[in-house]
């Protein structure tokens, strides 16, 4: 047995109760409070018995260690929780974004499912329709969207398989009939009123093979009939056929089919083509009768309209004809000739940088060939600004200016697109008593003009005896509009007005432009391609967005939708395919247009002391160089004053509130209907002073150094330190853009001149 050793820790003697604390010795202070005891067990191990204080210290250290462990775990838990919360928020945002995309129609549920899971989905007809529209634009664009942009879309093979079963046979298309039948169930009586319009499109006449029908085809014309709402925006291609003219029997059958669906056909529209005119003559339409008996109800009338945009194009064609014009009768028995010479004289007077009639160009007069199909050329040639400019600048052309204004008001009446418009003729027909009175006056004046006007030809310089087809078409449409409105007010009392743009065939021109544009550069498809494109047009959303361009060919409708077999088909949003190049202008006209006014001298003279008016000025003539420039400059000053009216209302006021004669405001008052801004005398003086500075800085061209607007603003700010800097900048930018437009126009004219000289030289060699 081993020897056991024990160490005993003795306690310190307790301090007496009454002992002075200061008498405690140093030895007593250094004595430990407790003593540990170490014991030796039998196997030689040593066991230490801790005192209570040491045990407390040991437990405290253990608590501190566990607390540190717990804090580390808590920090890890917090980090994990934050990560999970971020992931949850990101997932919620992603889900909300996907829900918004689905709700707004950007993506479908099938597209979201494929994008999130990567699995194959069963595409809905709507997805196939949208994908088909993108595929029609470009195959490369479709591949880029699916591969680079990762947009989930049906594959090309899926599109081919899903569209192969959709076939349309010539004649009335059953799919379109099914759509109309379903849509007519929820229409109101006003929405059931509809108009049919038909026209032909030229196609490539080569032989072609249709693999789906296993058939060889060749055709040169495509006849399309469309039905559209008179008081609503729906429209639907209903009938097509190749190389087949429209006949009264076919039209009667189609109208009867439409009426059987619950719709009510009240009018028919076509252009003035020889085939259409022969058809209407066979149906019973004459100069005194603009309607036929309704095929479905002998008690009703079907009113016949000629396409108003087509008629305006014909008016322009016969007016600017090099070998004639329109002979206008005067009240005293004499006549006046409205011809291209009238517009050329106006161009010579207004051909300057600051032109009061800036839209009118030689192209409006000289355009020929395919370019004559552009409605904007005729609409701008016979416009209010051209008529007013001719009335003011060419007083001897008073009768011609009145004829131009008459045509302009008639076209506004026959092509209204909004219920209310500041110009009464452009309101819906019969929308208000004031509009009805103005529109009836426009129709009456146009009837009087057309009945008394004759076409001048080399063989008949005084005018032909009979009316031309376009004149009969104008009279027919005018009478039909009155008759249709009277019939509908009697049969449908809730009808208050007619949107006259719905009785033209712009919707058909829209369809033709889409059919041409679906093939990219191939804008002249053959019969098989045409039928395939028409099928896609019925199935897919609009595959084209037409380009807005000055070279547009036809006026199209905006923001209206087709009814289709699967989904709504959005129409083209603006104007369709581009036309031909500019025509070569007459050499003498180009040479005569190169003499420009010295702007600096003109405006220096304008700021000098005013001289007594000459006889021409006192009589109201504005044909002098200075007068026209100042009138145009006043128009620019009024424009800037209107744009900056919120900054400084003292820059100008409306024409109805301004004092006549304080500034050169004659042109403003001629073209204004009370809403244009007349500059104040002080602002007009500032603008005239700035014109001098502008011409000094710019010279005859432009200053190509950087900071041109800033330098122009600084120059004017030195002269007018109290003028707001924003107004100065607006004036400088406006004047700079006018100069740029003028130089671009001059450059284009010079290029056309060089091209004409080059072509003449090549032909002579």
């Amino acid at each position: 047995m081993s020897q056991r050793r024990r160490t005993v820790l003795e306690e310190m003697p307790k301090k007496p109760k009454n002992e002075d604390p200061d008498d405690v010795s140093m030895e007593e202070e250094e004595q430990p409070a407790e003593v540990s005891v170490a014991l030796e067990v039998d196997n030689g191990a040593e066991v230490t018995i801790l005192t209570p204080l040491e045990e407390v210290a040991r437990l405290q250290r253990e608590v501190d260690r566990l607390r540190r462990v717990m804090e580390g775990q808590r920090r890890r838990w917090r980090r994990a929780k934050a990560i999970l919360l971020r992931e949850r928020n990101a997932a919620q945002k992603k889900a909300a974004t996907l829900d918004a995309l689905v709700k707004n129609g950007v993506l479908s549920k099938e597209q979201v499912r494929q994008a999130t899971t990567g699995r194959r989905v069963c595409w809905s007809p709507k997805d196939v329709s949208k994908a088909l529209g993108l595929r029609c634009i470009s195959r490369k664009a479709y591949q880029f969207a699916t591969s680079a942009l990762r947009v989930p879309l049906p594959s090309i093979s899926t599109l081919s398989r899903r569209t192969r079963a959709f076939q349309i046979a010539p004649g009335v298309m059953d799919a379109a009939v099914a759509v109309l039948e379903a849509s007519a169930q929820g229409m109101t009586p006003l929405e059931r009123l509809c108009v049919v319009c038909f026209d032909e499109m030229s196609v490539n006449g080569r032989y072609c093979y249709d693999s789906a029908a296993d058939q060889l085809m060749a055709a040169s014309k495509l006849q399309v009939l469309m039905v559209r709402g008179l008081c609503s925006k729906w429209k639907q291609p209903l009938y097509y056929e190749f190389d087949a003219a429209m006949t009264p029997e076919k039209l009667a059958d189609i109208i009867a089919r439409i009426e059987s669906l619950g719709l009510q056909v009240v009018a028919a529209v076509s252009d003035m083509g020889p085939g259409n005119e022969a058809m209407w003559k066979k149906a019973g339409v004459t100069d005194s009768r603009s309607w036929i008996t309704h095929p479905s109800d002998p008690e009703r009338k079907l009113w016949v309209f000629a396409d108003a945009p087509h008629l305006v194009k014909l008016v322009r064609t016969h007016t600017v004809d090099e070998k004639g014009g329109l002979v206008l009768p005067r009240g005293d028995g004499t006549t006046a000739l409205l011809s291209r010479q009238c517009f050329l004289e106006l161009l010579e007077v207004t051909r300057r940088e600051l032109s009061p009639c800036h839209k009118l160009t030689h192209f409006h007069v000289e355009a020929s060939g395919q370019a004559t199909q552009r409605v904007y050329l005729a609409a701008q040639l016979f416009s209010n600004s051209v008529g007013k400019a001719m009335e003011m600048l060419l007083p001897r052309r008073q009768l011609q200016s009145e004829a131009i204004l008459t045509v302009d008001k008639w076209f506004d009446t026959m092509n209204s697109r909004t219920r209310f418009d500041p110009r009464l003729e452009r309101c819906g027909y019969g929308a208000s008593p004031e509009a009805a009175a103005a529109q009836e006056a426009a129709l009456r004046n146009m009837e009087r003009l057309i009945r008394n006007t004759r076409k001048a030809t080399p063989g008949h310089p005084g005018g032909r005896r009979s009316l031309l087809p376009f004149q009969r078409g104008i009279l027919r449409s005018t009478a039909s509009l009155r008759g249709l409105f009277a019939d509908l007010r009697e049969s449908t009392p809730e009808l208050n007005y007619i949107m006259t743009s719905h009785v033209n065939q712009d919707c058909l021109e829209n369809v033709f432009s889409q059919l041409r544009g679906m093939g990219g550069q191939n804008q002249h498809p053959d019969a098989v391609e045409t039928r395939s494109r028409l099928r896609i047009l019925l199935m897919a959303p609009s595959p084209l967005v037409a380009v807005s361009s000055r070279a547009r060919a036809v006026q199209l409708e905006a923001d209206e939708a087709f009814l289709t077999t699967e989904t709504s088909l959005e129409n083209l949003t603006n104007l369709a395919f581009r036309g031909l190049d500019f025509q070569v202008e007459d050499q003498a006209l180009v040479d005569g247009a190169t003499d420009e006014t010295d702007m600096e001298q003109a405006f220096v003279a304008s700021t000098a002391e005013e001289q007594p008016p000459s006889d021409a000025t006192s009589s109201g003539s504005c044909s002098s160089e200075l007068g026209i420039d100042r009138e145009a400059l006043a128009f620019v000053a009024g424009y800037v004053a209107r744009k900056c009216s919120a900054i400084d209302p003292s820059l100008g006021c409306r024409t109805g509130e301004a004092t006549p004669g304080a500034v050169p405001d004659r042109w403003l008052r001629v073209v204004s209907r009370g809403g244009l801004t007349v500059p104040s005398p002080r602002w007009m003086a500032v603008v005239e002073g700035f014109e001098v500075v502008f011409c000094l800085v710019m010279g005859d061209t432009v200053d190509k150094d950087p900071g041109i607007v800033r330098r122009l603003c600084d120059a004017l700010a030195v002269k007018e330190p109290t003028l707001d800097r924003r107004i100065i900048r607006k004036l400088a930018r406006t004047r700079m853009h006018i100069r740029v437009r003028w130089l671009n126009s001059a450059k284009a004219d010079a290029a056309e001149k060089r091209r004409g000289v080059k072509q003449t030289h090549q032909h002579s060699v």
Side-chain angles (χ1 to χ4, degrees), residues 27 84 118 164 230 288 304 317-318 381 393 410 412 510 736:
E27 295 180 356
L84 293 176
R164 191 178 298 119
L230 178 65
S288 59
V304 178
T317 299
H318 289 287
L381 191 67
L393 302 177
W410 176 85
D412 287 342
N510 192 343
M736 182 192 64

Side-chain angles (χ1 to χ4, degrees), residues 131 262 693 737:
V693 175
H737 285 301

Side-chain angles (χ1 to χ4, degrees), residues 321-325 327 454-465:
D321 186 7
E322 294 183 358
K323 299 181 180 179
V327 180
R454 294 295 182 269
K455 173 64 184 301
T457 60
H460 301 83
R464 298 177 53 174
R465 294 183 180 180

Side-chain angles (χ1 to χ4, degrees), residues 42 190 206 253 274 315 359 384 387 395 409 414 446 473 522 591 616 619 700 728 748:
D42 294 341
L190 281 180
R206 67 175 181 265
D253 293 340
V315 173
K359 289 186 179 180
N384 180 69
K409 292 181 180 180
M414 297 299 299
M446 189 64 176
N522 181 17
D591 293 339
S619 63
D700 295 333
I728 296 175

Side-chain angles (χ1 to χ4, degrees), residues 169-181:
V172 178
M173 294 175 284
D174 294 334
V177 171
V179 171
L180 287 178
E181 185 176 9

Side-chain angles (χ1 to χ4, degrees), residues 473-546:
I474 291 175
L475 297 176
R476 178 194 307 165
S477 295
T478 302
S480 293
L481 180 59
R482 292 194 184 105
L484 175 62
F485 187 68
D487 280 358
L488 293 180
R489 289 298 298 270
E490 182 178 351
S491 62
T492 313
E494 58 268 27
L495 184 139
N496 297 321
Y497 65 95
I498 293 178
M499 209 76 73
T500 54
S501 61
H502 288 198
V503 289
N504 62 36
Q505 59 182 25
D506 284 348
C507 55
L508 273 177
E509 301 294 345
N510 192 343
V511 172
F512 293 156
S513 67
Q514 293 191 61
L515 291 177
R516 293 188 183 100
M518 280 185 186
Q521 297 298 324
N522 181 17
Q523 296 190 358
H524 195 205
D526 56 32
V528 174
E529 293 170 341
T530 301
R531 186 162 66 179
S532 176
R533 296 180 187 185
L534 183 60
R535 182 183 65 199
I536 294 174
L537 186 66
L538 292 175
M539 296 182 63
S542 178
L544 294 178
V545 176

